[in-house]
Amino acid sequence: CIGEVTPKSEICDNIDNDCNGLVDDNLKRACSSVCGKGTETCYQGKYIKCTAPQPTAEICDGKDNDCDGYIDNQKNLQQNYSLTQSCSNRCDKGTETCSSTGKWVSCSAPKPTTEICNNKDDDCDGTPDDNVFQVCFDTKLSGCTYNRIFRRWLCKGVCRTGKKVCTAGVYSKSCVGDVGAVTEVCRDGLDNDCDGATDEICGGTFPYASVTSTGSFLGGRYFTAVKKTATGTYALTSSLSGLQCDKMPLFLTPATNARRPMSYTCSGRTFIINVGAHATLKGTKQDSSFYAVLPRREADTIWGVASCTGSRTCSLSRSYGGSTLTQRGTGVVDITSTRCKNATGPLFATILSSSLTGYATAYYYNGKCRVRTYGLDGKLAIRSFSFWAPNPKTAAWSVISSTGSVIAQNNFGDSRAKWKSKFLSSGSLLYYDVFFPAWSRIGAALVQPRVGTPIHTPALPTSGGIRVYSRYLTSTQSKATTFSVMFVQ
């Protein structure tokens, strides 16, 4: 048979060599690249699409992407893990290297650091020396101490450290914002002098009332009502049953510069208070502001009511602390008590009467508490009275000499809280300005002549204390005197 073409093995030539109706049907062969082996397929007489992996640009993935025999290397650099790239952070630019784990590491760009005072932007936030300061406390102040173990300041009360702020690489010379100890402010609930105690200079919470001439409260504690019932007469009601007139004595000081006699009596459990006109000899009453204070039941305290008669006897009622009475003569009563042996403490007396009958002075004499009572004319007269020797450790008190010096005081051991007094005169008037940090215009003050002469000591409030007037009872002249002062708020 001449010219016949018989089937042959299929080859990649775009001809149906095996005559099965398909051209180059499913012809494949092995192929390779620098990266490995694969297969390629015949298409229209040519082998194409070799599946062997092809070299690519090296990337940081722990593989030899360009198949040069080195992993994660730079082109033409025969060294593993030498691949680098640019990197940056908020501080600057740099380069980083591909590690053996296929991760970019060790960016050489400078890293943000803690800001220090060097006029540089260490934390790379765009502002040099921002919020850089030194904790400080002015050495002139007190209230904070530096603990070298913990390396920090420890403060008490309201005291606080301050800051020296860095500007352009330099710390300020002054300490800004530090709060040091100051004199204690009474009844503000704060430890102002930073000694660990609060309101310690205020003294005990004695019941008191500061009453205006119209019969209203300017300030007070444990009194619920006050009412002017007539000219110069006021009814004062306590809020507690144990502090009512049938159980407690009351102590009064007129808040005026005039020589006003005062007295009180009881109407049931209500205190009835009488205020006199200036230098009245007839017991004429007149409206006036005044202070009223009740004692407390506490250690090292005595108080009571002495009812005296012309038979040289005085009975004791509504008393506390243990004491006995001895009438030494007309208008002179000695009170015997262990409390009276401390001659530096305060001592107060107020006339007990339903009308205006006179004045009282109180002082220490030969280990006893002595009270002298005078008529409206300034002459010794038998009068009933209440007396009180407060605990000298819990009351805020001082004793002022006739020259104006502070001869005894209780400042509760606070070196910043000192009683101060100044002796002044204006025309025929003699007076004393007395100051103590515990004073408040809504508080109360008790003032008592501390002499055996007929003297009256009314007191006007001032911005920092009281102005005590020394009034002689037997003439219009003023007379310098020693007196006790007690502040309550």
Side-chain angles (χ1 to χ4, degrees):
C1 182
I2 299 171
E4 68 175 343
V5 179
T6 58
K8 298 181 178 66
S9 297
E10 195 76 12
I11 62 173
C12 185
D13 56 1
N14 203 27
I15 297 173
D16 182 13
N17 306 102
D18 57 2
C19 304
N20 66 351
L22 299 173
V23 177
D24 297 340
D25 54 317
N26 198 29
L27 282 180
K28 296 181 183 291
R29 70 177 184 184
C31 63
S32 65
S33 69
V34 294
C35 293
K37 296 180 179 181
T39 59
E40 54 188 358
T41 303
C42 181
Y43 176 72
Q44 293 182 352
K46 295 181 179 179
Y47 281 101
I48 62 172
K49 298 183 178 179
C50 180
T51 61
Q54 300 299 313
T56 59
E58 197 75 17
I59 61 173
C60 183
D61 59 358
K63 300 177 182 178
D64 183 12
N65 307 101
D66 59 2
C67 305
D68 64 352
Y70 298 96
I71 300 172
D72 295 338
N73 63 312
Q74 298 183 45
K75 188 176 182 180
N76 299 324
L77 183 61
Q78 297 177 351
Q79 182 178 342
N80 288 331
Y81 313 117
S82 61
L83 189 62
T84 60
Q85 69 172 13
S86 298
C87 63
S88 65
N89 57 28
R90 66 185 185 184
C91 291
D92 206 348
K93 296 179 180 179
T95 58
E96 57 188 354
T97 304
C98 185
S99 71
S100 60
T101 60
K103 304 291 184 181
W104 291 109
V105 296
S106 304
C107 181
S108 64
K111 294 178 175 58
T113 58
T114 301
E115 196 80 7
I116 61 174
C117 188
N118 58 3
N119 202 26
K120 297 180 181 179
D121 185 14
D122 303 290
D123 58 2
C124 307
D125 65 352
T127 305
D129 297 341
D130 57 312
N131 199 33
V132 177
F133 62 88
Q134 289 179 336
V135 177
C136 58
F137 192 72
D138 195 326
T139 55
K140 298 177 183 178
L141 306 177
S142 61
C144 296
T145 55
Y146 188 74
N147 188 301
R148 297 186 179 278
I149 297 176
F150 296 105
R151 296 183 180 180
R152 62 188 178 96
W153 287 94
L154 301 177
C155 300
K156 293 181 179 180
V158 300
C159 292
R160 296 289 183 271
T161 55
K163 298 178 180 179
K164 289 185 177 180
V165 180
C166 178
T167 304
V170 179
Y171 282 110
S172 59
K173 294 182 179 179
S174 61
C175 189
V176 179
D178 54 338
V179 178
V182 295
T183 303
E184 193 75 10
V185 177
C186 196
R187 307 295 184 210
D188 66 349
L190 302 174
D191 179 13
N192 310 99
D193 58 3
C194 306
D195 63 353
T198 300
D199 293 339
E200 68 273 16
I201 68 169
C202 306
T205 52
F206 296 96
Y208 80 94
S210 176
V211 180
T212 67
S213 61
T214 58
S216 62
F217 284 121
L218 183 62
R221 179 188 299 111
Y222 303 142
F223 285 101
T224 57
V226 63
K227 182 180 180 181
K228 190 179 80 164
T229 59
T231 299
T233 302
Y234 303 84
L236 187 61
T237 304
S238 170
S239 62
L240 301 176
S241 61
L243 302 179
Q244 294 170 340
C245 193
D246 60 343
K247 297 180 180 178
M248 298 287 287
L250 185 67
F251 298 88
L252 302 167
T253 294
T256 176
N257 64 351
R259 196 179 84 196
R260 297 186 185 278
M262 293 192 71
S263 67
Y264 79 97
T265 188
C266 295
S267 176
R269 295 186 171 185
T270 300
F271 296 95
I272 304 300
I273 298 161
N274 304 304
V275 185
H278 173 61
T280 178
L281 295 177
K282 298 180 179 180
T284 305
K285 297 179 183 180
Q286 192 174 69
D287 296 343
S288 176
S289 300
F290 63 89
Y291 303 118
V293 180
L294 291 176
R296 301 194 309 179
R297 295 175 176 86
E298 57 182 340
D300 203 16
T301 297
I302 60 167
W303 47 259
V305 173
S307 298
C308 300
T309 67
S311 60
R312 290 205 173 198
T313 60
C314 292
S315 61
L316 182 62
S317 64
R318 284 172 276 174
S319 64
Y320 176 83
S323 56
T324 58
L325 305 179
T326 303
Q327 192 168 1
R328 294 297 182 187
T330 300
V332 181
V333 178
D334 279 347
I335 303 163
T336 303
S337 169
T338 55
R339 173 66 187 84
C340 293
K341 294 180 180 179
N342 179 3
T344 61
L347 185 61
F348 302 101
T350 294
I351 297 296
L352 177 69
S353 175
S354 59
S355 59
L356 293 168
T357 61
Y359 307 84
T361 64
Y363 55 100
Y364 292 93
Y365 180 77
N366 285 342
K368 302 182 186 301
C369 296
R370 174 165 286 186
V371 175
R372 286 178 175 254
T373 55
Y374 302 90
L376 294 175
D377 58 0
K379 297 180 180 179
L380 285 170
I382 296 174
R383 298 288 185 265
S384 296
F385 59 90
S386 58
F387 64 89
W388 179 24
N391 184 325
K393 294 182 180 179
T394 62
W397 61 271
S398 69
V399 177
I400 309 300
S401 74
S402 59
T403 60
S405 61
V406 178
I407 58 178
Q409 64 173 311
N410 180 28
N411 66 342
F412 304 92
D414 190 333
S415 60
R416 297 177 182 273
K418 295 292 188 182
W419 286 84
K420 297 179 181 179
S421 178
K422 182 186 295 185
F423 176 66
L424 302 164
S425 63
S426 177
S428 62
L429 288 178
L430 301 178
Y431 53 90
Y432 303 80
D433 282 342
V434 182
F435 304 94
F436 185 62
W439 168 250
S440 169
R441 291 187 72 93
I442 63 172
L446 288 182
V447 183
Q448 189 76 53
R450 199 180 175 97
V451 291
T453 51
I455 298 290
H456 182 53
T457 49
L460 274 176
T462 63
S463 60
I466 57 172
R467 176 163 287 180
V468 178
Y469 291 83
S470 181
R471 296 281 196 171
Y472 203 54
L473 296 181
T474 56
S475 71
T476 59
Q477 297 296 315
S478 293
K479 183 176 177 60
T481 189
T482 301
F483 55 92
S484 297
V485 179
M486 178 174 164
F487 286 159
V488 177
Q489 73 156 301

